[in-house]
């Protein structure tokens, strides 16, 4: 199954072992969260599928652009391979010969990607997401992006991700969460807020209208 926006799932995972197969379950995460926790963020061109090994599959890739990279990740990716589980039930992804934006992790000595990471065809990202991965998301890594059900008693500075449900995810497609200049709450921690852009404001206006006319 190709990875689409609807199937890009979060970083936090819960895996249950049944025999030798891990069952996949992930929390949905904002693209900025994926960027901030990733070992590598890059545009890669998938060339072909390689051989599998003990339940994992390799893909031959070429890194086209680096946006974030640890030295360990750079060395691992220099081998020209990226790995994923061979089983979709264990969060494995199917990649095709095209360009992807991948925000992944290093597992052992291998660059690894799964449904719990951000994997999306590069041409399908919004212009704001592309700019975010290039240079903007890093500005917000002191902030966390949290769904409404996870913000209670949250001590770190955060933005509430209110648009993750519905037809259009305005905050996921067109905004990022950054520290608010000179603003601090009573306990001395920073405040964070969504960056307002023309696309974001237009999207939120359309979203509000759609919700008002819902039966």
């Amino acid at each position: 199954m190709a990875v689409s926006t609807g199937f890009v799932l979060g970083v936090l995972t819960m895996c249950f072992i049944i025999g030798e197969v891990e069952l996949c379950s992930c929390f949905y995460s904002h693209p900025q969260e994926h960027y901030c926790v990733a070992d590598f963020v890059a545009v890669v061109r998938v060339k072909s599928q390689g051989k599998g090994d003990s339940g994992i599959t390799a893909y031959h890739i070429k890194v086209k652009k680096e946006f974030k990279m640890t030295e360990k990740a750079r060395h691992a990716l220099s081998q020209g391979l990226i790995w994923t589980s061979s089983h979709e039930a264990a969060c494995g992804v199917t990649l095709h010969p095209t360009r992807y934006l991948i925000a992944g992790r290093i597992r052992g000595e291998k660059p690894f990607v799964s449904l719990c990471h951000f994997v999306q065809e590069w041409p399908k990202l919004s212009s704001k997401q592309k700019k975010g991965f290039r240079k903007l998301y890093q500005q917000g890594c002191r902030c966390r992006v949290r769904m409404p059900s996870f913000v209670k008693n949250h001590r770190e500075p955060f933005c509430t991700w209110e648009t993750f449900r519905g037809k259009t995810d305005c905050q996921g497609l067109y905004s990022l969460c950054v520290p608010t200049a000179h603003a601090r709450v009573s306990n001395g921690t920073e405040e964070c807020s969504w960056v307002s852009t023309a696309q974001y404001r237009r999207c939120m206006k359309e979203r509000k209208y759609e919700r008002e006319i819902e039966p």
Side-chain angles (χ1 to χ4, degrees):
M1 179 185 69
V3 181
S4 65
T5 302
F7 288 94
V8 176
L9 300 178
V11 176
L12 300 178
T13 65
M14 296 181 294
C15 293
F16 302 91
I17 308 300
I18 299 179
E20 296 182 353
V21 178
E22 296 179 348
L23 298 185
C24 177
S25 178
C26 306
F27 291 113
Y28 195 74
S29 291
H30 189 275
Q32 179 175 313
E33 286 280 306
H34 285 289
Y35 175 92
C36 292
V37 302
D39 294 320
F40 63 91
V41 179
V43 177
V44 306
R45 180 170 62 85
V46 175
K47 296 191 289 186
S48 62
Q49 183 174 333
K51 295 181 179 179
D53 178 30
S54 301
I56 57 176
T57 297
Y59 286 90
H60 296 280
I61 58 101
K62 181 176 179 60
V63 176
K64 305 298 289 185
K65 299 177 183 177
E66 293 183 13
F67 299 142
K68 179 184 178 183
M69 193 78 63
T70 65
E71 286 303 316
K72 186 175 182 179
R74 183 173 289 109
H75 174 73
L77 286 165
S78 70
Q79 308 302 310
L81 294 172
I82 198 164
W83 299 79
T84 188
S85 172
S86 301
H87 307 284
E88 185 177 319
C91 293
V93 298
T94 300
L95 303 177
H96 301 282
T98 188
R99 289 180 300 155
Y100 288 89
L101 185 288
I102 296 180
R105 304 300 297 269
I106 299 299
R107 181 181 294 183
E109 300 297 323
K110 291 182 172 67
F112 206 83
V113 68
S114 75
L115 285 173
C116 296
H117 303 134
F118 192 97
V119 184
Q120 179 61 282
E121 292 180 28
W122 178 247
K124 293 184 178 180
L125 269 63
S126 70
S127 59
K128 193 66 177 181
Q129 287 176 322
K130 289 179 179 179
K131 187 177 290 186
F133 282 112
R134 284 193 188 104
K135 59 183 179 180
L136 297 181
Y137 288 149
Q138 63 180 314
Q139 299 175 13
C141 285
R142 296 204 308 272
C143 301
R144 306 305 301 269
V145 178
R146 290 289 180 256
M147 297 179 190
S149 57
F150 289 98
V151 301
K152 187 177 181 181
N153 299 323
H154 194 72
R155 296 183 179 180
E156 296 174 289
F158 67 91
C159 294
T160 304
W161 188 13
E162 298 174 323
T163 66
F164 72 98
R165 288 179 179 169
K167 184 178 179 181
T168 306
D169 179 7
C170 303
Q171 291 163 337
L173 289 170
Y174 304 119
S175 191
L176 61 147
C177 174
V178 297
T180 305
H182 310 301
R184 291 182 178 272
V185 295
S186 58
N187 63 3
T189 60
E190 291 180 303
E191 283 189 340
C192 296
S193 60
W194 293 107
V195 173
S196 181
T197 64
Q199 284 180 308
Y200 175 60
R201 291 191 297 271
R202 183 166 56 250
C203 182
M204 292 296 284
K205 184 177 180 180
E206 292 173 355
R207 179 183 171 89
K208 181 180 179 181
Y209 174 74
E210 289 171 357
R211 297 182 72 174
E212 287 175 348
I213 64 174
E214 286 179 354

Coordinates of all heavy atoms in Angstrom, one line a residue, residues 46-52 57-60 94-95:
V46 N 13.5 6.8 -4.8 CA 13.5 5.3 -4.7 C 13.8 4.7 -6.1 O 13.1 5.1 -7.1 CB 12.1 4.8 -4.2 CG1 12.1 3.2 -4.2 CG2 11.9 5.3 -2.8
K47 N 14.8 3.9 -6.2 CA 15.2 3.3 -7.5 C 14.6 1.9 -7.7 O 14.0 1.6 -8.8 CB 16.7 3.2 -7.6 CG 17.3 4.6 -7.6 CD 18.8 4.6 -7.9 CE 19.6 4.0 -6.8 NZ 21.1 4.1 -7.1
S48 N 14.6 1.1 -6.7 CA 14.1 -0.3 -6.8 C 14.0 -0.9 -5.5 O 14.6 -0.5 -4.5 CB 15.0 -1.1 -7.7 OG 16.3 -1.3 -7.2
Q49 N 13.2 -2.0 -5.4 CA 13.2 -2.8 -4.2 C 14.3 -3.8 -4.1 O 14.6 -4.5 -5.1 CB 11.8 -3.5 -4.1 CG 11.6 -4.3 -2.8 CD 10.2 -4.9 -2.7 OE1 9.3 -4.3 -3.2 NE2 10.1 -6.0 -1.9
G50 N 14.9 -3.9 -3.0 CA 16.0 -4.9 -2.8 C 15.5 -6.2 -2.2 O 14.3 -6.5 -2.1
K51 N 16.5 -6.9 -1.6 CA 16.2 -8.2 -1.0 C 15.7 -8.0 0.4 O 16.2 -7.0 1.1 CB 17.4 -9.1 -1.0 CG 17.8 -9.6 -2.4 CD 19.0 -10.5 -2.4 CE 19.4 -11.0 -3.8 NZ 20.5 -11.9 -3.8
G52 N 14.9 -8.9 0.9 CA 14.4 -8.8 2.3 C 15.4 -9.6 3.2 O 16.2 -10.4 2.7
T57 N 12.5 -5.3 4.6 CA 12.7 -5.2 3.2 C 13.6 -3.9 3.0 O 13.4 -2.9 3.6 CB 11.4 -5.0 2.5 OG1 10.7 -6.2 2.6 CG2 11.6 -4.8 1.0
A58 N 14.5 -4.0 2.0 CA 15.4 -2.9 1.7 C 14.9 -2.3 0.4 O 14.4 -3.0 -0.5 CB 16.8 -3.4 1.5
Y59 N 15.1 -1.0 0.3 CA 14.8 -0.3 -1.0 C 16.1 0.4 -1.4 O 16.8 1.1 -0.5 CB 13.7 0.7 -0.9 CG 12.3 0.1 -0.9 CD1 11.7 -0.3 0.3 CD2 11.6 -0.1 -2.0 CE1 10.5 -0.8 0.4 CE2 10.3 -0.7 -2.0 CZ 9.8 -1.0 -0.8 OH 8.5 -1.6 -0.8
H60 N 16.5 0.4 -2.7 CA 17.6 1.1 -3.2 C 17.2 2.5 -3.4 O 16.2 2.8 -4.1 CB 18.1 0.5 -4.5 CG 18.7 -0.9 -4.3 ND1 19.9 -1.2 -3.8 CD2 18.1 -2.1 -4.5 CE1 20.1 -2.5 -3.8 NE2 19.0 -3.1 -4.2
T94 N 5.1 0.4 1.6 CA 5.5 0.1 0.2 C 5.9 1.3 -0.5 O 5.1 2.3 -0.6 CB 4.3 -0.6 -0.5 OG1 4.0 -1.8 0.2 CG2 4.7 -1.0 -1.9
L95 N 7.1 1.3 -1.0 CA 7.6 2.5 -1.7 C 7.7 2.2 -3.2 O 7.9 1.1 -3.6 CB 9.0 2.9 -1.2 CG 9.1 3.2 0.3 CD1 10.6 3.5 0.6 CD2 8.2 4.3 0.7

